[in-house]
Amino acid sequence: MATMRHINTTAMAEERKKKKEIWAIWEASIEKEYESYDPSTYESKLQKKCIYQWPNDLTLTSSMSIHRTPYMVSLGPYHHGEKNLQPMEHHKQRALYRILYRSRVSLYSFIESLEGIEQERRDSYDNLDPNLSSDSFIRMMLLDGCFILELLCSSYLNENCSDNYEPIFSREGKLRSTVAFQDMLLLENQIPLLVLRKLVEVGKLNSINSDAYLNQLISSFYRPTPEYRFASVPSFRERGILRSDEVTSYIVFMDSLIDTAEDVSLLCSRGIAKNHLDSDEDAADVFNKLGDGITYTPDEERYKDLQSYVASDWNVARAYLKRNYFQNPWSILSLLAAIALLILTFIQTLFSVLAVTKGK
C-alpha cells in the first residue's frame, strides 16, 4: 500500500509539473502578444472589412440557404473550390483570355497590379482563411474579376450581340441570367470593387475614368426601370432614411403585420403595398422568413402613436362599423335607410304625443 501511495504521489507531482510548464508557455505567449496589443489596430481592421459571411444563427436556418449558396459560379473565397461550381472555372479562364486578347496587355501586368493591393483586399474579407496562399488569392481575384468584367461587357459591347452560341458572355447566353441575377447578388459571393478598378485601369479597357466606366457597364447590364432604382447605403443615410436600427425595425414590424396571404391581399387592396411576386402567398412567405434569426427589442417610443391609435375605443368602433356596414354601397344605403326610418318614427311619435297633449 505504501508503494502504491508513493507511485500515485509521484504521478500527481509530475502532472502538476507538466501543467505548470504548459501554463508558463501560455502566459509567456499572452504577455508577448499583449505588448504589441493596440485597440486602434483592431478597429482599423474592422473598418476595412466590407465583404462578410452570413452569421451563424442565420446559416442554421435551412430556409435561408437559398440566399447564401451560389448555383453556378463562385466569386471570392467563401465558396471557392466547391465541387458543384467547378464547371464555371473554365469560363473564368475564357474571360481572362478574351480580355487579354482585347486589351493586348501582358498577363504579368495584371498580376503585378493585383499584387500591389493584395493585403488591402485580404483585409476586405471577414474570416478569410489564413492558410490561403498569396498565389491562390491573386489568381482567384484575377479570374473572378475578369469573369465579372466580361459578363458586364456582354451588354455594353456590340461585338457580342449576335453571338448565339456563347453561353455566358452574350445577351442571349443561356447561363447568363442565373449567374447575373442570382449568384452575383449573393452576400458571400463578392469581390472588392478595387479589383475591378485595377483590371480596367491596367487593361486600358476604356479611355474614361474607371469608376465611370464600371457605372456604365453596371447600368447597361441591369438596366433599372424608372420604377425600380437601387440606391446605395450612403445615399439613404444622406436622406435620413437609414439610421441606427430603422431597417431592422421595419423588417420586424412588417413581419408582425403580415402572417398570411390574406394580410398581403388587404394591404395591396388599400394601396399600402404592391406585390410583384407570383402570388400573395409568396409575398407573405418572404416577410415571414425575412426576420429569421433577428434579435431585436422594439422601441416602445417609436410605436407610441400606433399603440395609442389602436387603444382608442372610438377608432375601434369606427373600424368595426366600416368593416361590417360600409363594405359596399348597398350596406351604406341600408344603413342610411334605417337611420331615416328611425328619424321618421321618432318624429311621428313626437307629433302623436304633442296631439294627445293638446287634446287634453
Side-chain angles (χ1 to χ4, degrees), residues 112 115 215 291:
E112 187 179 35
E115 284 179 336
N215 285 334

Side-chain angles (χ1 to χ4, degrees), residues 224-239 241-242 247:
T225 62
E227 187 175 356
Y228 307 104
R229 294 190 180 276
F230 299 97
S232 62
V233 170
S235 67
F236 278 127
R237 286 200 178 113
E238 289 172 4
R239 292 165 174 78
I241 298 174
L242 187 62
V247 173

Side-chain angles (χ1 to χ4, degrees), residues 51-53 76-80 82 125-128 188-189:
I51 302 175
Y52 297 88
Q53 290 181 293
Y78 294 137
H79 296 278
H80 182 73
E82 293 182 5
Y125 287 97
D126 181 41
N127 295 326
L128 182 66
E188 294 185 359
N189 216 35

Side-chain angles (χ1 to χ4, degrees), residues 234-328:
S235 67
F236 278 127
R237 286 200 178 113
E238 289 172 4
R239 292 165 174 78
I241 298 174
L242 187 62
R243 299 189 300 271
S244 62
D245 61 348
E246 290 189 357
V247 173
T248 306
S249 176
Y250 169 76
I251 292 173
V252 173
F253 173 72
M254 292 302 294
D255 186 23
S256 62
L257 193 64
I258 297 176
D259 286 325
T260 65
E262 288 73 20
D263 297 330
V264 176
S265 177
L266 178 63
L267 292 175
C268 292
S269 66
R270 297 294 188 271
I272 298 173
K274 287 184 179 181
N275 181 17
H276 296 280
L277 300 179
D278 292 336
S279 65
D280 291 338
E281 288 80 5
D282 289 343
D285 189 52
V286 166
F287 279 104
N288 289 332
K289 291 179 179 178
L290 199 59
D292 286 354
I294 291 180
T295 303
Y296 174 72
T297 303
D299 184 355
E300 297 297 332
E301 190 66 27
R302 183 172 294 168
Y303 296 108
K304 187 176 180 180
D305 293 340
L306 178 62
Q307 291 172 342
S308 299
Y309 183 88
V310 173
S312 171
D313 293 337
W314 165 248
N315 290 328
V316 172
R318 186 174 62 177
Y320 177 82
L321 289 173
K322 186 175 181 180
R323 183 171 60 251
N324 293 281
Y325 297 103
F326 297 102
Q327 286 287 349
N328 56 68

Side-chain angles (χ1 to χ4, degrees), residues 97-300:
Y97 301 154
R98 291 164 69 101
I99 289 179
L100 288 174
Y101 178 80
R102 197 164 60 247
S103 66
R104 302 299 181 183
V105 174
S106 69
L107 176 61
Y108 178 76
S109 297
F110 285 105
I111 294 175
E112 187 179 35
S113 69
L114 295 181
E115 284 179 336
I117 59 170
E118 179 189 357
Q119 188 56 51
E120 186 179 355
R121 294 312 89 199
R122 280 178 174 270
D123 293 340
S124 300
Y125 287 97
D126 181 41
N127 295 326
L128 182 66
D129 183 4
N131 296 321
L132 182 63
S133 68
S134 175
D135 291 343
S136 298
F137 182 79
I138 292 174
R139 182 178 186 275
M140 178 178 60
M141 291 292 104
L142 176 62
L143 292 177
D144 290 356
C146 288
F147 179 84
I148 293 175
L149 279 178
E150 195 64 15
L151 186 65
L152 295 176
C153 286
S154 65
S155 289
Y156 190 69
L157 300 177
N158 294 327
E159 63 181 274
N160 292 327
C161 292
S162 60
D163 195 348
N164 296 324
Y165 298 98
E166 171 57 57
I168 297 286
F169 308 119
S170 73
R171 293 182 181 180
E172 296 82 13
K174 294 180 179 179
L175 306 179
R176 179 174 179 265
S177 180
T178 301
V179 171
F181 297 98
Q182 170 65 32
D183 292 354
M184 283 177 61
L185 302 181
L186 297 178
L187 176 67
E188 294 185 359
N189 216 35
Q190 304 293 325
I191 67 171
L193 180 61
L194 182 57
V195 172
L196 300 183
R197 286 177 181 155
K198 283 293 182 182
L199 295 178
V200 170
E201 291 171 359
V202 174
K204 300 177 182 178
L205 301 180
N206 201 280
S207 58
I208 62 176
N209 177 272
S210 60
D211 283 348
Y213 179 61
L214 288 171
N215 285 334
Q216 285 183 2
L217 290 181
I218 294 171
S219 61
S220 174
F221 188 87
Y222 287 100
R223 295 186 183 280
T225 62
E227 187 175 356
Y228 307 104
R229 294 190 180 276
F230 299 97
S232 62
V233 170
S235 67
F236 278 127
R237 286 200 178 113
E238 289 172 4
R239 292 165 174 78
I241 298 174
L242 187 62
R243 299 189 300 271
S244 62
D245 61 348
E246 290 189 357
V247 173
T248 306
S249 176
Y250 169 76
I251 292 173
V252 173
F253 173 72
M254 292 302 294
D255 186 23
S256 62
L257 193 64
I258 297 176
D259 286 325
T260 65
E262 288 73 20
D263 297 330
V264 176
S265 177
L266 178 63
L267 292 175
C268 292
S269 66
R270 297 294 188 271
I272 298 173
K274 287 184 179 181
N275 181 17
H276 296 280
L277 300 179
D278 292 336
S279 65
D280 291 338
E281 288 80 5
D282 289 343
D285 189 52
V286 166
F287 279 104
N288 289 332
K289 291 179 179 178
L290 199 59
D292 286 354
I294 291 180
T295 303
Y296 174 72
T297 303
D299 184 355
E300 297 297 332

